[in-house]
Amino acid sequence: PSDDVNRNDSGTEIRVEILAIDTMQLVDFGESFYEMEAGQRALHGKQEMNEKGMDWIEHRLRESEADYLLVAGHYPVYSADSKGPVHGLEEMLKRYQVTAYISGHVHCQEHITRDGVDYFISGTGMEISCEGEDFDQLTIGGGNGVKYLLTHRENPTGAVGGFLSFDLKMDKLVARFHGESGSVLYEAELLPRSL
């Protein structure tokens, strides 16, 4: 079998696909961001690159037969902080039943669910510094909203950093947020896609 196939005890294949995308092409920073970079970054061709990139992403999502389809990018789609977000992916992620979108950039840990897609932000490798200032725009619990949030203000664990891990089980994919020592702070079970 190929590297992306695992077999459970009954011999059934379990496929996990991770699609890493360049979210720099999907975030509109405005012209000032590009002008600040050395050599005066040009905006020429950005729209064309964005369209080609989105076409490529959609093709890969449409063709996937994975039981668990994960998309990873630096910038978040949804966040309780004002940094980011990536625009234009939400509908595609929903349409192609993406299991989870994984990002960083925002220095907190978040698990948000929207329209059947789980969004994980793991940006605490160095520090927890986000304040969660847009938290009130997201709901907690239920089918949509924030399932877990660790910010500078909301930090009952006292963690100063951390990371996200995934554990593939027989019938589920378990996502775990850890503190800097490896202790589990939160976990969520993700079910296979229904293709």
Side-chain angles (χ1 to χ4, degrees):
S2 66
D3 291 339
D4 66 344
V5 176
N6 291 319
R7 296 185 191 280
N8 63 19
D9 291 340
S10 66
T12 304
E13 290 182 350
I14 302 169
R15 293 181 180 269
V16 177
E17 184 175 345
I18 302 170
L19 180 62
I21 62 173
D22 179 4
T23 54
M24 285 294 290
Q25 301 301 323
L26 304 176
V27 177
D28 183 9
F29 295 102
E31 291 184 34
S32 62
F33 174 82
Y34 294 95
E35 290 171 359
M36 289 189 306
E37 295 295 311
Q40 299 291 318
R41 277 183 151 183
L43 287 173
H44 305 297
K46 185 177 188 300
Q47 183 175 356
E48 182 181 338
M49 288 188 297
N50 187 350
E51 290 171 8
K52 285 181 181 179
M54 291 297 274
D55 289 346
W56 180 84
I57 292 167
E58 183 161 20
H59 172 76
R60 293 297 306 262
L61 296 178
R62 183 177 48 247
E63 297 298 314
S64 177
E65 296 178 0
D67 297 294
Y68 299 95
L69 177 56
L70 308 175
V71 178
H74 178 77
Y75 290 99
V77 173
Y78 294 109
S79 171
D81 198 64
S82 60
K83 296 178 182 168
V86 172
H87 296 288
L89 281 179
E90 305 93 271
E91 188 55 41
M92 262 195 272
L93 298 176
K94 178 182 171 184
R95 182 180 327 126
Y96 297 111
Q97 300 176 37
V98 168
T99 307
Y101 178 81
I102 307 157
S103 65
H105 186 67
V106 179
H107 291 232
C108 65
Q109 294 180 348
E110 295 184 44
H111 176 202
I112 300 169
T113 302
R114 288 282 172 122
D115 298 319
V117 179
D118 289 277
Y119 296 87
F120 293 94
I121 298 175
S122 180
T124 57
M126 184 181 84
E127 65 182 354
I128 301 171
S129 61
C130 110
E131 296 292 329
E133 58 214 33
D134 290 344
F135 178 73
D136 59 338
Q137 296 179 20
L138 303 168
T139 58
I140 293 184
N144 286 318
V146 179
K147 305 297 183 185
Y148 170 74
L149 179 64
L150 180 69
T151 67
H152 184 67
R153 282 191 322 204
E154 289 291 321
N155 187 352
T157 67
V160 295
F163 59 95
L164 175 66
S165 70
F166 289 91
D167 186 8
L168 181 60
K169 302 286 188 184
M170 301 286 282
D171 59 346
K172 61 191 166 209
L173 182 65
V174 181
R176 291 187 181 98
F177 278 112
H178 303 267
E180 70 279 358
S181 67
S183 60
V184 176
L185 305 178
Y186 170 82
E187 73 176 36
E189 295 180 356
L190 310 177
L191 299 177
R193 299 163 70 211
S194 57
L195 301 174

